[in-house]
């Protein structure tokens, strides 16, 4: 689809949509902003799949998505795995909206090039993500010390299962 196709699709998404699958859509920064801008209209959206869109790399694109999350009262599942352009600044921008995503129970962030700083930014908001029950963070760039901190956070939060890097 590319950015132009994603933007065109975003403009016509019905308000009753429950699942949006844009896996491997060729979405870049402009496409992500277009989708994020439209999301608040989708009050019934439960599942948002943005996997395998590695071109989304700007902080503003991830900020737009993070800002839209609190306006999605039914969103239970968000997958942005294999968005390698996310990195530390992207996850930090997205994380701002996570505590106010009241229905979010599953978050998939594997293979997003998240390093130590990004993982720390995410860990700082996780205690406020009351509904979140499962977090997938495999195949990211953080070190073993950060992995240990993630495991500890998961252990100390009985309602949250964290899947960190295996190494």
């Amino acid at each position: 689809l590319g950015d132009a196709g994603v933007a065109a699709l975003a403009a016509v998404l019905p308000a009753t949509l429950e699942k949006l699958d844009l896996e491997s859509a060729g979405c870049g920064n402009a496409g992500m902003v277009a989708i994020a801008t439209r999301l608040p209209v989708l009050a019934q959206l439960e599942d948002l799949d943005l996997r395998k869109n590695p071109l989304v790399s700007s902080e503003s694109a991830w900020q737009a998505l993070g800002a839209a999350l609190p306006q999605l009262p039914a969103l239970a599942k968000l997958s942005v795995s294999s968005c390698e352009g996310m990195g530390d600044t992207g996850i930090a921008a997205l994380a701002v909206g996570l505590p106010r995503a009241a229905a979010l129970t599953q978050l998939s962030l594997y293979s997003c090039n998240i390093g130590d700083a990004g993982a720390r930014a995410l860990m700082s908001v996780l205690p406020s993500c009351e509904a979140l029950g499962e977090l997938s963070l495999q195949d990211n760039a953080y070190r073993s010390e950060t992995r240990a901190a993630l495991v500890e956070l998961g252990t100390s939060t009985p309602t949250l299962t964290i899947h960190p890097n295996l190494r």
Side-chain angles (χ1 to χ4, degrees), residues 15-34:
T16 57
L17 191 68
E18 293 179 2
K19 180 174 182 168
L20 179 56
D21 186 344
L22 290 171
E23 179 182 354
S24 302
C27 183
N29 296 322
M32 179 67 81
V33 170

Side-chain angles (χ1 to χ4, degrees), residues 86-93 95 98 109 112-127 135 137 140-151 153 162 164-165:
M86 177 183 279
D88 288 341
T89 57
I91 189 56
L98 292 174
L109 295 165
C112 288
N113 201 29
I114 298 170
D116 294 319
R120 282 192 300 275
L122 180 60
M123 285 188 287
S124 73
V125 302
L126 287 177
L135 174 62
L137 283 165
N140 277 293
Y142 51 82
R143 294 176 299 166
S144 60
E145 295 85 5
T146 302
R147 179 194 183 283
L150 282 162
V151 169
L153 180 61
I162 298 177
N165 286 339

Side-chain angles (χ1 to χ4, degrees), residues 18-138:
E18 293 179 2
K19 180 174 182 168
L20 179 56
D21 186 344
L22 290 171
E23 179 182 354
S24 302
C27 183
N29 296 322
M32 179 67 81
V33 170
I35 286 294
T37 302
R38 178 70 176 163
L39 285 176
V41 175
L42 308 178
Q44 296 178 33
L45 188 66
E46 298 173 1
D47 186 347
L48 179 57
D49 188 347
L50 297 168
R51 290 177 295 160
K52 299 181 183 175
N53 285 293
L55 301 177
V56 182
S57 60
S58 79
E59 183 177 3
S60 61
W62 293 111
Q63 280 175 335
L65 181 59
L69 293 178
Q71 300 174 61
L72 296 168
L75 186 67
K77 184 177 180 184
L78 174 62
S79 181
V80 290
S81 294
S82 298
C83 289
E84 292 90 354
M86 177 183 279
D88 288 341
T89 57
I91 189 56
L94 179 65
V96 171
L98 292 174
R100 296 183 324 268
L104 190 64
T105 59
Q106 292 181 313
L107 179 59
S108 296
L109 295 165
Y110 58 85
S111 298
C112 288
N113 201 29
I114 298 170
D116 294 319
R120 282 192 300 275
L122 180 60
M123 285 188 287
S124 73
V125 302
L126 287 177
S128 300
C129 298
E130 295 175 7
L132 192 61
E134 185 171 354
L135 174 62
S136 297
L137 283 165
Q138 299 94 326

